[in-house]
Amino acid sequence: MDSVNDVMIDEDGVFKYILIELCEKKRGGSGSGEQRKKLIIRGFEWAEFHADILDRVSPKFDQLGLTYECLGGGRIRHDKQQQSIHIYGYSVGFGQADHGKAQELVCLKYDYPEANITWSNSGY
């Protein structure tokens, strides 16, 4: 699971994104398992629907033996030149993602001024 990037989004433009929870089961000595979880986001301009993103990225998770769940989606407006990212909206198929969690992940990847990475629950 550590080999999976937390954030993979297009470097510029307005596009759909999804928030995904990955799970990996670690075996304990007594046979009980401890589950490790990780949140990731994926967003691409080529995606017509949010489900298109999940369809494209899920085979890698299957190969790694990870289970996954799409926790919702929305849109991202990424302006690389202005060093700004705005996360907003929802997915008709998956519902609205927790944009605050998506913002936390994006802040870890991009060294933009903190005030330039924003989110809102309004808009589509």
Side-chain angles (χ1 to χ4, degrees), residues 3-40:
S3 66
V4 178
N5 291 326
D6 294 349
V7 177
M8 290 180 67
I9 62 172
D10 282 344
E11 291 297 317
D12 212 31
V14 177
F15 45 87
K16 292 176 171 70
Y17 92 94
I18 57 174
L19 179 68
I20 303 168
E21 181 179 68
L22 299 178
C23 295
E24 174 184 80
K25 193 166 192 167
K26 289 183 90 173
R27 292 270 174 206
S30 63
S32 65
E34 176 188 322
Q35 256 191 347
R36 283 194 334 152
K37 295 182 179 185
K38 177 179 182 174
L39 289 179
I40 65 170

Side-chain angles (χ1 to χ4, degrees), residues 45-64:
E45 200 166 6
W46 54 257
E48 185 176 355
F49 301 104
H50 292 90
D52 294 338
I53 299 170
L54 189 61
D55 289 345
R56 178 87 57 97
V57 301
S58 61
K60 176 173 178 152
F61 309 145
D62 292 332
Q63 289 173 350
L64 294 170

Side-chain angles (χ1 to χ4, degrees), residues 84-116:
S84 71
I85 295 175
H86 183 62
I87 304 163
Y88 64 98
Y90 62 93
S91 163
V92 172
F94 296 124
Q96 187 173 59
D98 183 334
H99 300 320
K101 290 189 187 296
Q103 178 194 37
E104 289 173 16
L105 292 169
V106 168
C107 283
L108 294 174
K109 176 170 177 145
Y110 291 95
D111 191 24
Y112 294 172
E114 189 175 327
N116 288 2

